Amino acid sequence: MTAGLLLDSTTNDAAESGAPRRTKVGMWKPKPCLGCRSNVVAWTKPRVDYCYQCLPGGPFPPPPCGRCGGTADTGDDYYSQGLCIRCHRAAPQHVEQCRDCLAWGVIRKYKWLCWRCHSWRARCPRGTCRFCKRPDLPLSDEQACVLCDRQHSIKPGLTLEEANAGGQQLFLANTPWLPTRLHNGVRSIERPSDPTSPTVEEPLVFVPVEPTQPTLFDTERDLAHASANGHLDPGRIADPPNEKMAAFIDAAVTDHARRHGWTASTMYRTKHSLHVLQLMQDHPGTMLLASDAIKLPSIGLTAIPVIDVATAVGIMLDDREPAIHNWVATTIADLPAGMQAEINRWFDIMLNGSDTPPRRKPREPNTIRQYLRYSMPALTRWANEGHTSLRDITPADVRAVLPATGNPRSTMGAGLRSILTLLKACKVLFLNPIARITTGRHHQNDPMPGNTEQIRHALTGPNPAGAALAALATFHGLRAGQLRNLQLTDLADGRLHLGNRTIPLAEPVRERVAAWLDHRNRRWPNTANPYVFLNHRNATRTTPIGYRWL
């Protein structure tokens, strides 16, 4: 009954008049049609619970859009409230072509215009294009629209008339563009030539081979033979066994050094380090091993740049054992064998996760360190009391070892709860002794006041990096992680853009940050590192500074 009344008062009137009623209501997501459940309702005010295809007595042809005047015989373009899918604010963000240049890849959020057409509409007069004859478009000084002007850029050797004589080539919106040229029938990118730059040759290609036969014994390399007094002696080493791999690696180091702003000495040491690393292979031409690369500093060579370059070009196999393994083994070395086996079971599931019940996602190594560090006082005390396994632990033992109150109780409880709960779920323990024991939460204490003399010394000290760090932390309260990950693009126009926050920098902070940036540019003028703070370790890389340096 309601749908029929609404049909008489809205749909028929709209169909007869050809100009549907438009209101500001219905700009939110309309409800789905009660009939097909795939389309949305035809109108929200006045309320209609069906689309035009499912209206009782229908289907009815949808009216033209009240904003752009578009029509659709099948009703695919009509959305709701008298608007089409292009004009309704709540319609899905379909990708369409630009209104002015017809480039594919624009959405309603940007008014169906690409970025270039947005700029042209803001600064160019409108009129009819002299070449494609399309009306009401922004035109250049030569009376050309965006599409015809881009066609002239594609063919730089021709005039506007000649470039648009045979039609226009469409393109994707908001993509970088470089002129192209034909070479042996194949279109390639034509980059602007620089007479001062050296000729760039075609990149070398190398695919590592598979080892033909595994080694019978793992022998230790005598790297001391290649060094004299702890430094590399080029006269003591032979040529690389695989010439193609050696040429590929030299070219990769040169390219990596150019892109990351390496000095000549760093590039020289990296090439010689990779030269020695190739001689350490059992099968020449196979993948390089990171476990061999970390032995190079023993003879005065470098390891980190070697791993970076070889990993970037895909010829490095990182077979190093994570440091967390050695740390856990060292930490629990004094515990009984039974406890060590149980802790190792917990550690394996925490680090690698588990696909079988109890299912668990892998945890970060720092999380594992914290939990084990919190639990070690209790585990050590139980071991000293004669317990050889965590199966012997009772709730009374847990209560006896837990501190009375405060953060020591909550942190130890968090570590023991992680270990004991997981081992109980794995059926290693018969019961969870900490299950019904409350350990409380970590107290969120107010920060203590800082030492004024130390802060003043850091702000006025001779170290520009220390002064900038102290100013950002003191005046604007930046945390350690925010300082490490601060990038150059976050500083603009005297403001710091930190996530969704925009912080106007205080004048003392601006002075110290500017002094550090000047020192940074003088010390590492060619670095490709995007982070604000650098040191001698990460200046040749694109990683943030370490926690210890900060």
Side-chain angles (χ1 to χ4, degrees), residues 378-414:
L379 298 176
T380 304
R381 178 174 171 179
W382 290 335
N384 294 334
E385 293 175 354
H387 296 285
T388 59
S389 172
L390 293 178
R391 296 178 182 180
D392 304 337
I393 305 303
T394 63
D397 296 326
V398 175
R399 291 190 180 94
V401 77
L402 282 174
T405 56
N407 281 345
R409 179 182 179 88
S410 62
T411 54
M412 182 182 290

Side-chain angles (χ1 to χ4, degrees), residues 482-499 501-503 505 513 516-517 520-521 528-533:
Q482 295 171 335
L483 292 172
R484 288 183 67 245
N485 298 303
L486 194 62
Q487 298 193 8
L488 296 173
T489 54
D490 297 334
L491 297 170
D493 300 329
R495 287 176 169 81
L496 173 61
H497 302 276
L498 197 64
R501 300 167 56 196
T502 300
I503 305 173
L505 296 178
V513 171
W516 159 247
L517 292 178
R520 181 185 188 275
N521 292 334
N529 195 306
Y531 293 94
V532 172
F533 294 101

Side-chain angles (χ1 to χ4, degrees), residues 219-543:
T219 58
E220 194 69 24
R221 303 290 180 180
D222 184 15
L223 299 182
H225 178 73
S227 63
N229 298 325
H231 298 282
L232 177 68
D233 185 4
R236 297 191 178 191
I237 58 176
D239 295 331
N242 191 310
E243 296 182 358
K244 187 175 181 180
M245 184 178 188
F248 173 77
I249 289 177
D250 285 347
V253 173
T254 303
D255 179 69
H256 194 91
R258 176 184 56 82
R259 291 186 290 106
H260 289 77
W262 286 7
T263 60
S265 61
T266 303
M267 183 174 64
Y268 175 81
R269 292 185 64 206
T270 305
K271 285 186 176 181
H272 278 274
S273 301
L274 283 164
H275 184 173
V276 174
L277 191 60
Q278 295 173 69
L279 297 175
M280 298 170 61
Q281 291 183 296
D282 294 319
H283 303 282
T286 58
M287 296 283 287
L288 301 175
L289 300 180
S291 58
D292 292 338
I294 60 177
K295 302 174 184 177
L296 295 175
S298 62
I299 56 174
L301 296 179
T302 180
I304 298 301
V306 165
I307 296 176
D308 290 343
V309 173
T311 303
V313 295
I315 59 172
M316 173 65 72
L317 180 62
D318 194 350
D319 59 340
R320 294 173 294 177
E321 185 180 66
I324 184 68
H325 288 270
N326 187 34
W327 184 86
V328 170
T330 305
T331 303
I332 66 175
D334 296 333
L335 297 179
M339 282 191 183
Q340 289 188 26
E342 293 161 351
I343 296 299
N344 285 327
R345 178 70 181 277
W346 167 81
F347 167 64
D348 180 67
I349 297 178
M350 288 286 287
L351 183 65
N352 303 315
S354 176
D355 295 332
T356 58
R359 292 182 174 87
R360 196 175 188 89
K361 292 182 179 180
R363 298 300 195 267
E364 292 292 331
N366 286 337
T367 302
I368 301 174
R369 285 191 178 92
Q370 287 291 86
Y371 282 153
L372 188 55
R373 191 178 290 115
Y374 293 156
S375 307
M376 279 309 298
L379 298 176
T380 304
R381 178 174 171 179
W382 290 335
N384 294 334
E385 293 175 354
H387 296 285
T388 59
S389 172
L390 293 178
R391 296 178 182 180
D392 304 337
I393 305 303
T394 63
D397 296 326
V398 175
R399 291 190 180 94
V401 77
L402 282 174
T405 56
N407 281 345
R409 179 182 179 88
S410 62
T411 54
M412 182 182 290
L416 291 177
R417 195 177 303 278
S418 174
I419 296 175
L420 299 175
T421 303
L422 181 56
L423 293 180
K424 172 61 174 66
C426 296
K427 299 182 180 179
V428 176
L429 304 183
F430 299 109
L431 57 88
N432 185 1
I434 202 174
R436 293 176 176 83
I437 298 177
T438 303
T439 57
R441 297 181 179 180
H442 303 329
H443 294 292
Q444 302 294 333
N445 298 327
D446 294 334
M448 299 297 291
N451 189 313
T452 308
E453 293 300 327
Q454 291 182 357
I455 295 175
R456 183 179 293 109
H457 176 72
L459 291 174
T460 59
N463 186 0
L469 288 168
L472 288 170
T474 303
F475 284 82
H476 302 296
L478 267 65
R479 299 188 297 272
Q482 295 171 335
L483 292 172
R484 288 183 67 245
N485 298 303
L486 194 62
Q487 298 193 8
L488 296 173
T489 54
D490 297 334
L491 297 170
D493 300 329
R495 287 176 169 81
L496 173 61
H497 302 276
L498 197 64
N500 296 327
R501 300 167 56 196
T502 300
I503 305 173
L505 296 178
E507 188 62 30
V509 180
R510 291 190 191 183
E511 296 175 359
R512 287 160 176 81
V513 171
W516 159 247
L517 292 178
D518 291 341
H519 173 79
R520 181 185 188 275
N521 292 334
R522 290 192 303 268
R523 179 66 177 82
W524 301 285
N526 300 320
T527 181
N529 195 306
Y531 293 94
V532 172
F533 294 101
L534 300 181
N535 57 20
H536 68 283
R537 289 185 177 271
N538 72 328
T540 57
R541 311 175 73 188
T542 56
T543 57

